[in-house]
Amino acid sequence: MTTPKLYIETVGCQMNVLDSELVVGSLRRQGYELVHTPQEADVIFYNTCSVRQHAEDKIYSALGRLRGHMERHPDKVLGVLGCMAQKDQELILRRAPYVNIVCGTGQLAQLPALIEQVKATREPQLALSLARKEASREEVTASFESYDPMRDPSMRPTPFQAYVRVQIGCDKFCTYCVVPSTRGPEQGRHPEHIAAEVKQLADEGAIEITLLGQTVNSYRYKYGDGRVVRLSDLLEKIHDTPGLARIKFITNFPRDMGDDLLDAVRDLPRVMPYLHVPAQSGCDIMLKRMKRMYTIESYREMLVRCREKIPGVAISSDFIVGFCGETEESFQKTCDLVRESRFKNSFIFKYSARAGTKADELYPDDVPEEVKKVRNNELLAIQSEVSLADQRQMVGRTVEVLVEGPSKNALKKGETSGPTQLTGRTPTDHIVVFDGNPRLAGRILPVTIREAAAFTLFGDIVTGEQVGAESREPLPERQGERSPEPSEKRFTLPLV
């Protein structure tokens, strides 16, 4: 019997990357083998994003390229998964009628059965959760199943770094955002389930865990007896997992940045001093239109608390330029916020109107595309200056770097063995490149920074260190703190 083959392409956020890993893990247990091109595959999946139009256009282009292939191979299965599937199921089938499966974010567990149904009937199969207005909150919530099957290490960015979902859905309803519709009501996973998954991943060799949530610092889990577990409690619960060296969490909502969480980041050595806290705009008028539920004054106060509570913390942000009604004065207030806030980096996007959102319903998309481009480039230039100043402060310092493997430049040159340029990240999520052997991937090593660019640090591994491939470095120390004892458990670290 021929081994069935699967191809999956992922567009979008870390949550989508995790979903794809889980889909692959589920289908591997059905006997599927992962392949690298759609032409090789029996089952072809695109895991999609609807946050911006560009992401959707990319998927429709990919589907268009497959039209002839699917006509020549009618026995194959083509599926569209994720946020775009949940939002635009009928449009997808109109534009690409040869798609066999349309499966939303809350129904991914149904994929093995959907594949078999397509093979048996050759009829399109839809698996979608309820829309927010179709039923009660309880019924809609139940239709968005938390999809957390066994993991598949081969789908991770590296074998020693892993994502863990702690929350699904979102209840913030920012006017520009489709996520409350495509991922459903906010739900916190049971803390015991999260802790068990973290332990499993650490047992498999993961030394860095990133907890994922749409607004991760809003995480709450309520027990029947009234007890409530917050994100700070969850961090403490998983902190001492044997083998774990680093814990990160993204993305944070400014209004929900409580002191309990900041204290946990400060006091728990394995929790990294890095916070991603999107501001989206520096203008209160825009924030009100976006329904962000905070003011710039309160955002600035939050930044002050973060830096007072966690000395040396690095903070990054997100911004949307060209949102409905954004004037030049509004935009300049955003520029001022970026200049003064000293963000490590910011992800900057041009506003893209999304059907089904309140912004699309209430406000005209009235900022010309050319103006959006100019503002996008101007804000990027300001952030680059801020980032360069931040990076230069690290020159001459020795920092602990988690080695991720060969850098992009090394991979382009085909240099995957022997001494080459490696890349890794500091506890504050700064990217560092340096020369070394790819076998060091998965190690935490001291690197001295000798040069800085806006978004990359250049350094040298501190010599005289033991760099055997089977031992693990002690956890990095914070100022005035002593690292916990290294775990007794030892792993053979993978070669990259």
Side-chain angles (χ1 to χ4, degrees):
M1 182 176 175
T2 308
T3 301
K5 294 179 172 59
L6 167 70
Y7 172 82
I8 187 166
E9 185 171 322
T10 307
V11 175
C13 67
Q14 293 95 336
M15 197 75 79
N16 281 10
V17 173
L18 175 56
D19 283 341
S20 291
E21 179 191 334
L22 300 175
V23 167
V24 170
S26 172
L27 291 177
R28 277 193 194 277
R29 286 188 293 282
Q30 304 284 327
Y32 279 81
E33 172 189 340
L34 195 64
V35 295
H36 300 294
T37 67
Q39 288 73 22
E40 300 173 76
D42 303 297
V43 174
I44 304 163
F45 284 153
Y46 289 94
N47 192 7
T48 63
C49 172
S50 284
V51 171
R52 278 170 289 280
Q53 185 62 43
H54 176 72
E56 294 188 0
D57 292 343
K58 184 175 180 179
I59 294 301
Y60 282 120
S61 294
L63 293 176
R65 290 192 295 271
L66 283 177
R67 177 189 291 272
H69 182 74
M70 293 301 296
E71 290 173 351
R72 291 189 297 274
H73 302 277
D75 55 327
K76 292 193 173 188
V77 176
L78 175 60
V80 175
L81 319 179
C83 293
M84 192 171 153
Q86 180 65 30
K87 182 173 78 76
D88 291 330
Q89 58 272 24
E90 294 178 1
L91 179 60
I92 291 167
L93 291 176
R94 282 203 307 271
R95 291 188 61 173
Y98 43 92
V99 167
N100 307 112
I101 293 174
V102 178
C103 181
T105 58
Q107 301 293 319
L108 296 176
Q110 308 302 321
L111 282 173
L114 294 174
I115 293 170
E116 293 308 309
Q117 192 69 14
V118 169
K119 289 179 177 179
T121 67
R122 301 313 304 178
E123 294 293 326
Q125 302 296 312
L126 278 69
L128 305 164
S129 299
L130 295 172
R132 296 290 292 244
K133 295 181 180 179
E134 280 187 349
S136 68
R137 179 183 174 90
E138 291 73 21
E139 291 171 309
V140 174
T141 298
S143 75
F144 282 87
E145 302 173 21
S146 182
Y147 182 55
D148 303 292
M150 296 295 287
R151 307 295 298 266
D152 190 283
S154 69
M155 283 298 292
R156 295 176 204 153
T158 71
F160 42 85
Q161 296 169 296
Y163 296 131
V164 174
R165 191 195 326 270
V166 302
Q167 177 193 66
I168 66 170
C170 182
D171 288 339
K172 295 297 189 282
F173 292 99
C174 300
T175 59
Y176 54 82
C177 187
V178 298
V179 169
S181 299
T182 59
R183 288 195 175 270
E186 185 177 302
Q187 304 175 59
R189 284 182 70 197
H190 196 297
E192 295 297 337
H193 298 170
I194 296 168
E197 186 173 351
V198 169
K199 181 181 183 303
Q200 174 207 333
L201 291 165
D203 288 344
E204 292 174 354
I207 65 172
E208 179 184 89
I209 295 293
T210 300
L211 306 181
L212 296 182
Q214 300 301 146
T215 56
V216 68
N217 58 334
S218 310
Y219 171 84
R220 298 287 187 278
Y221 185 85
K222 295 181 181 180
Y223 285 96
D225 60 7
R227 288 178 298 144
V228 176
V229 176
R230 305 163 298 177
L231 182 62
S232 56
D233 304 315
L234 184 62
L235 292 172
E236 186 172 2
K237 183 178 185 64
I238 67 173
H239 181 266
D240 294 331
T241 303
L244 199 57
R246 291 185 172 188
I247 302 169
K248 301 195 293 188
F249 54 91
I250 50 175
T251 293
N252 297 282
F253 190 69
R255 196 186 65 171
D256 295 340
M257 190 64 77
D259 286 348
D260 63 298
L261 179 58
L262 299 179
D263 290 343
V265 176
R266 178 194 63 209
D267 297 338
L268 298 171
R270 299 184 186 188
V271 179
M272 296 296 98
Y274 167 64
L275 301 170
H276 182 63
V277 197
Q280 303 299 7
S281 176
C283 173
D284 283 338
I285 296 173
M286 291 296 98
L287 292 177
K288 187 174 181 179
R289 280 197 162 200
M290 293 175 175
K291 195 175 174 265
R292 290 292 287 175
M293 298 183 285
Y294 55 83
T295 64
I296 284 305
E297 182 181 356
S298 65
Y299 187 89
R300 288 185 170 111
E301 184 273 334
M302 181 272 303
L303 290 180
V304 170
R305 280 193 299 115
C306 290
R307 288 172 170 141
E308 286 179 347
K309 289 272 188 181
I310 313 168
V313 68
I315 302 173
S316 60
S317 192
D318 290 351
F319 290 93
I320 297 171
V321 299
F323 186 66
C324 313
E326 183 186 65
T327 63
E328 184 62 27
E329 182 182 0
S330 297
F331 173 66
Q332 288 305 322
K333 289 180 179 180
T334 298
C335 295
D336 292 341
L337 180 66
V338 172
R339 287 188 187 97
E340 72 184 51
S341 298
R342 310 191 318 275
F343 296 118
K344 177 183 79 72
N345 64 281
S346 293
F347 299 95
I348 300 166
F349 307 99
K350 295 177 295 179
Y351 172 65
S352 175
R354 315 307 299 128
T357 62
K358 280 294 181 182
D360 191 51
E361 177 184 328
L362 297 174
Y363 310 121
D365 182 10
D366 56 358
V367 179
E369 183 64 24
E370 192 57 40
V371 174
K372 290 180 184 179
K373 289 180 181 177
V374 169
R375 291 177 182 174
N376 186 78
N377 291 337
E378 183 177 341
L379 198 59
L380 281 170
I382 294 169
Q383 180 60 63
S384 294
E385 291 179 10
V386 172
S387 295
L388 181 58
D390 170 71
Q391 301 268 92
R392 282 175 172 165
Q393 293 178 13
M394 301 187 71
V395 174
R397 293 173 51 189
T398 298
V399 293
E400 299 290 336
V401 174
L402 172 57
V403 185
E404 296 181 345
S407 68
K408 289 181 180 178
N409 284 340
L411 292 173
K412 285 179 183 176
K413 296 176 182 177
E415 298 172 353
T416 57
S417 61
T420 188
Q421 188 183 71
L422 305 178
T423 187
R425 291 181 187 261
T426 71
T428 49
D429 202 55
H430 288 80
I431 297 171
V432 185
V433 297
F434 48 93
D435 291 338
N437 195 302
R439 287 179 296 176
L440 296 174
R443 300 289 308 283
I444 296 175
L445 298 174
V447 175
T448 299
I449 305 303
R450 54 177 165 76
E451 188 179 346
F455 303 109
T456 308
L457 297 169
F458 301 86
D460 301 294
I461 296 175
V462 176
T463 57
E465 297 292 322
Q466 296 298 315
V467 291
E470 283 198 279
S471 64
R472 181 173 294 163
E473 291 294 310
L475 301 177
E477 296 185 12
R478 304 262 189 93
Q479 187 70 30
E481 295 176 345
R482 183 174 63 85
S483 294
E485 290 301 314
S487 166
E488 291 298 318
K489 196 159 193 173
R490 298 166 75 90
F491 299 96
T492 301
L493 294 171
L495 302 181
V496 175

